[in-house]
Amino acid sequence: SQQGEEDPQALSIQEGENATMNCSYKTSINNLQWYRQNSGRGLVHLILIRSNEREKHSGRLRVTLDTSKKSSSLLITASRAADTASYFCATDGSTGNQFYFGTGTSLTVIP
Amino acid sequence: DADVTQTPRNRITKTGKRIMLECSQTKGHDRMYWYRQDPGLGLRLIYYSFDVKDINKGEISDGYSVSRQAQAKFSLSLESAIPNQTALYFCATSGGWEETQYFGPGTRLLVL
């Protein structure tokens, strides 16, 4: 399986704190994406980082990518209760035709 | 996302029954995907289609079949449902130069 893994599996923080979650993957990639899923609902795209990029920002989100270590991290700054959700990384694998999702990090932000 | 719809939203069926899950999109995207989600395993790709005449197996296609009836419609069939196909099923689309996937709301399937 080319499925990646997120770490930690679950994370609980206080509102206002920063949340960091990590993703490791197995093959070379063209890009890596992060998605968010509210309980039992469809995934929503957050941010995409290409293999030739090292860092990308979007609002309160900061994503880093280290292709030598086959890893990425997602930082959510100044977290809010509404950020409570599961977060998944997805890579396009070596062919670019398929997407491989990680196992997800469940984030709980306590008001 | 209202642009990608899935029917039914919930389905209970018995072992051995044939069922079909349907996906429709109004985004005009050429690429469509079917995933299943199991607790602790993330999403796994079942089938994908890059246009009406193109169907490809994903990571876990055994026990499933698909039909791309039109650019906007992509159906997933379980020919003879078994209990370990109980899962949450998602349809997704992407199109053009855009690599982002847009997901439907999901179909929760229970096979008894």
Side-chain angles (χ1 to χ4, degrees), chain A residues 3 8 14 19 31 34-35 67 74 79-80 88 100 106-107 109:
Chain A
Q3 192 173 35
Q14 295 291 132
N31 66 67
W34 284 91
Y35 287 80
T67 53
L74 171 68
S79 63
R80 306 166 181 168
F88 295 87
Y100 299 93
S106 176
L107 173 65
V109 181

Side-chain angles (χ1 to χ4, degrees), chain B residues 14-66:
Chain B
K14 295 182 179 180
T15 297
K17 294 291 187 181
R18 181 181 189 276
I19 68 163
M20 179 182 289
L21 309 183
E22 298 185 339
C23 176
S24 295
Q25 52 113 348
T26 59
K27 300 187 75 68
H29 286 168
D30 50 356
R31 300 188 290 275
M32 298 187 74
Y33 308 81
W34 274 105
Y35 294 92
R36 67 175 278 175
Q37 184 177 31
D38 298 275
L41 292 179
L43 276 76
R44 291 180 292 168
L45 183 63
I46 306 172
Y47 271 95
Y48 61 102
S49 169
F50 283 0
D51 65 39
V52 174
K53 297 180 181 179
D54 177 77
I55 302 289
N56 303 281
K57 293 183 178 181
E59 190 180 354
I60 53 163
S61 59
D62 287 348
Y64 302 94
S65 63
V66 291

Side-chain angles (χ1 to χ4, degrees), chain A:
Chain A
S1 171
Q2 297 189 50
Q3 192 173 35
E5 288 189 8
E6 279 92 343
D7 170 64
Q9 290 187 356
L11 179 61
S12 184
I13 60 174
Q14 295 291 132
E15 198 165 32
E17 293 180 340
N18 295 341
T20 299
M21 52 205 86
N22 304 296
C23 167
S24 60
Y25 57 92
K26 299 179 181 179
T27 68
S28 61
I29 62 172
N30 296 306
N31 66 67
L32 182 145
Q33 303 180 46
W34 284 91
Y35 287 80
R36 165 196 169 121
Q37 182 184 34
N38 288 82
S39 181
R41 303 186 68 176
L43 279 71
V44 175
H45 180 259
L46 294 176
I47 194 167
L48 178 152
I49 186 166
R50 300 198 181 281
S51 60
N52 61 354
E53 298 176 307
R54 291 296 167 260
E55 186 171 314
K56 201 163 184 179
H57 297 253
S58 177
R60 293 185 296 114
L61 306 180
R62 172 178 170 255
V63 171
T64 62
L65 178 65
D66 186 336
T67 53
S68 66
K69 295 181 179 178
K70 291 187 171 56
S71 68
S72 174
S73 67
L74 171 68
L75 168 67
I76 303 173
T77 60
S79 63
R80 306 166 181 168
D83 294 329
T84 294
S86 292
Y87 292 82
F88 295 87
C89 66
T91 58
D92 62 349
S94 53
T95 64
N97 291 333
Q98 300 187 38
F99 288 87
Y100 299 93
F101 283 81
T103 49
T105 291
S106 176
L107 173 65
T108 301
V109 181
I110 302 167

